Amino acid sequence: MNKAFKIILVMALVFALSIVLVPILYPFLSSWFKFERIFNRLVMVFTIAAAVGFVLIPGLRKGGRLFDSTLWRDYGFDFEKPWRRLFIYGFLTGALTVVLMATVEVAFGPRYLRQPVLISDVIQRFLKGMLSGMAVGIIEEFFFRGFIFGHLKRALPVWIAVIAASAFYSLTHFLDNGQIFIPEHPTMRDAFRLLLGYAEPILRRPLDISPQFMGLFLFGVALNVAFIRTGSLFFPMGLHAGCVFLIKWQYSFVRPGPEVHDSF
């Protein structure tokens, strides 16, 4: 059984498990989360778990250990390099990039400065932004750069792998099923409708999403190039985390104008 078929089979299992489990979990979680959010989180958790399994299982079968660094090195987790410094440099680069973009948009529109600035809001957004940035940076970079791009570059020329991985990264941000109506007592059938609903924005509104798609595609290219140039996943992790952190935190100081989208 080749690896591509295994991945397809595992993703089918991920979707099937999510469809089966979400109606079971919903009665216990409905006070806090919507049905579609529980479904989306199950898909995400199972997908990341499957990617981790693809990394660990072959190595463990060969006698490796769970936390053996050699199992993770091919996926960008090279701890023999100055990984802390790479992460910090990446984080500062990402944060400063967003600061510069926000400064230009405040100076020339469409953003404007918030008045007054609330200390409680600054602290709250700082903590939420840092937590969100770290989570997104680590999880998404492992999956999109370490796992997806890592496998593609073994099978394709590097530049084609960069384009394919970046396009895939961008497209996943538009898998939106929030427009699907969910009844008061949802079932597995409604979960299946959510699965089909992922493709609705891509199929029905391609022109509407094309500007954001290109922005995310170019960001994906930058992250892939950072991975290639440093040979480590820690710089793109920091870069991604810094961008997400500042995107979240900036709203303590600025307000968005019309047609402003932040999708990292």
Side-chain angles (χ1 to χ4, degrees), residues 83-261:
W83 61 275
R84 294 184 184 89
R85 189 186 309 165
L86 286 169
F87 186 89
I88 292 169
Y89 286 169
F91 188 92
L92 293 176
T93 301
L96 288 173
T97 300
V98 176
V99 168
L100 289 174
M101 291 171 62
T103 301
V104 170
E105 289 183 326
V106 167
F108 301 102
R111 298 181 191 267
Y112 56 93
L113 291 175
R114 174 177 177 171
Q115 295 292 341
V117 174
L118 305 175
I119 299 300
S120 60
D121 183 69
V122 170
I123 296 172
Q124 183 181 42
R125 288 183 187 271
F126 178 91
L127 295 175
K128 287 184 176 180
M130 186 63 71
L131 181 62
S132 178
M134 290 297 181
V136 170
I138 293 170
I139 293 171
E140 290 199 5
E141 288 313 299
F142 160 67
F143 183 72
F144 290 107
R145 252 56 63 182
F147 185 72
I148 298 296
F149 175 66
H151 281 289
L152 287 174
K153 72 178 181 178
R154 296 185 190 105
L156 301 168
V158 172
W159 67 274
I160 295 179
V162 167
I163 292 172
S166 301
F168 178 69
Y169 165 75
S170 183
L171 278 175
T172 58
H173 286 74
F174 302 100
L175 299 179
D176 182 12
N177 54 18
Q179 74 286 349
I180 303 299
F181 172 75
I182 301 298
E184 185 177 355
H185 302 289
T187 64
M188 282 192 292
R189 180 180 178 182
D190 297 299
F192 185 71
R193 288 171 52 239
L194 286 175
L195 177 61
L196 297 179
Y198 275 142
E200 190 273 341
I202 298 170
L203 296 177
R204 296 191 179 184
R205 296 184 284 113
L207 295 180
D208 293 340
I209 68 174
S210 57
Q212 285 178 274
F213 172 85
M214 285 306 303
L216 286 164
F217 172 79
L218 293 174
F219 186 57
V221 169
L223 292 167
N224 281 313
V225 171
F227 184 21
I228 294 168
R229 294 293 298 272
T230 62
S232 170
L233 203 57
F234 290 103
F235 187 86
M237 273 185 179
L239 182 63
H240 202 156
C243 286
V244 172
F245 163 66
L246 242 298
I247 284 172
K248 302 289 185 183
W249 194 36
Q250 68 178 327
Y251 292 118
S252 290
F253 310 99
V254 299
R255 282 287 182 249
E259 300 301 322
V260 174
H261 303 283

Side-chain angles (χ1 to χ4, degrees), residues 12-48:
L13 181 61
V14 164
F15 292 137
L17 281 173
S18 301
I19 289 170
V20 170
L21 287 177
V22 65
I24 298 172
L25 294 175
Y26 180 66
F28 303 100
L29 301 175
S30 58
S31 299
W32 299 281
F33 304 108
K34 293 181 178 180
F35 185 80
E36 53 269 34
R37 185 166 187 180
I38 299 171
F39 176 77
N40 293 339
R41 290 296 176 267
L42 285 173
V43 171
M44 182 188 74
V45 169
F46 288 146
T47 301
I48 298 301

Side-chain angles (χ1 to χ4, degrees), residues 36-75:
E36 53 269 34
R37 185 166 187 180
I38 299 171
F39 176 77
N40 293 339
R41 290 296 176 267
L42 285 173
V43 171
M44 182 188 74
V45 169
F46 288 146
T47 301
I48 298 301
V52 171
F54 271 102
V55 174
L56 289 178
I57 292 172
L60 293 175
R61 284 177 175 173
K62 296 176 182 177
R65 294 175 297 173
L66 181 62
F67 297 106
D68 188 346
S69 60
T70 59
L71 293 179
W72 297 92
R73 191 172 297 151
D74 289 343
Y75 295 88

